[in-house]
Amino acid sequence: MNPDLDLGLERIIRAPLATVWNAWTDPSLLEQWWVPAPSRCRVDRLDLRPGGAFVTRLSDEGAEFVPHLDACFLAVDELERIVFTNAITSTWRPANPAPVAMTATITLNDHPDGTDYRMVVRHGDPEARAHHEKLGFAEGWGTVAGQLAALTESMAPR
């Protein structure tokens, strides 16, 4: 991780790695945690393969669902890693996404307490990184990681 260009977070999720992976790869589960509550998410396309589409919509306060993310997967290593970018749309067109272009790498590893969940979000320049941090990267991405943990931990056998 380059501290001038990247933002990251990590946490231990007290759920099996396969359960956390399924929460990323099953659209009905992804919709439950992908955006900070009370906003709601709808998954339009989740084609989990290199070059596949990752398209979601967002609804705030019961309003109509509006575009949220139009991205493409760059790498998918089953039960280990997911890499996606919003710098390329789901139809392989160059994008200039708001609020910032990024490439996100999600890494999952077994941990004695469940799953070691790590995320690195890469930016093209220090200004984009600073802008994303100022917009609340830690709070927003931290909130959804917490929602992911809560969902998968509730699904884990006791």
Side-chain angles (χ1 to χ4, degrees):
M1 187 166 117
N2 179 335
D4 295 328
L5 298 173
D6 306 333
L7 295 166
L9 69 80
E10 58 185 84
R11 72 180 295 149
I12 303 304
I13 298 176
R14 296 182 186 290
L17 190 147
T19 302
V20 177
W21 179 263
N22 286 341
W24 259 101
T25 60
D26 179 329
S28 67
L29 295 175
L30 185 71
E31 288 180 343
Q32 296 179 49
W33 66 268
W34 179 238
V35 299
S39 296
R40 294 182 23 227
C41 174
R42 186 164 294 155
V43 175
D44 285 343
R45 294 180 62 200
L46 187 66
D47 185 8
L48 208 71
R49 63 178 175 82
F54 185 12
V55 181
T56 62
R57 289 184 288 149
L58 170 77
S59 174
D60 286 321
E61 301 175 11
E64 179 180 346
F65 280 89
V66 297
H68 172 247
L69 178 70
D70 186 356
C72 112
F73 291 105
L74 301 176
V76 178
D77 301 314
E78 185 147 356
L79 297 172
E80 294 177 11
R81 180 177 72 137
I82 297 170
V83 183
F84 68 90
T85 186
N86 67 352
I88 302 168
T89 70
S90 59
T91 58
W92 281 64
R93 300 271 180 218
N96 188 15
V100 64
M102 64 182 178
T103 300
T105 301
I106 312 304
T107 307
L108 308 173
N109 287 293
D110 280 319
H111 185 276
D113 293 327
T115 302
D116 181 359
Y117 180 79
R118 296 174 187 245
M119 182 180 43
V120 174
V121 176
R122 294 174 173 81
H123 303 86
D125 54 58
E127 294 76 24
R129 180 208 180 274
H131 181 62
H132 201 179
E133 185 172 42
K134 184 178 178 183
L135 288 173
F137 168 84
E139 181 178 281
W141 287 72
T143 295
V144 298
Q147 292 172 175
L148 169 63
L151 174 67
T152 56
E153 290 168 2
S154 74
M155 297 165 61
R158 302 264 176 219

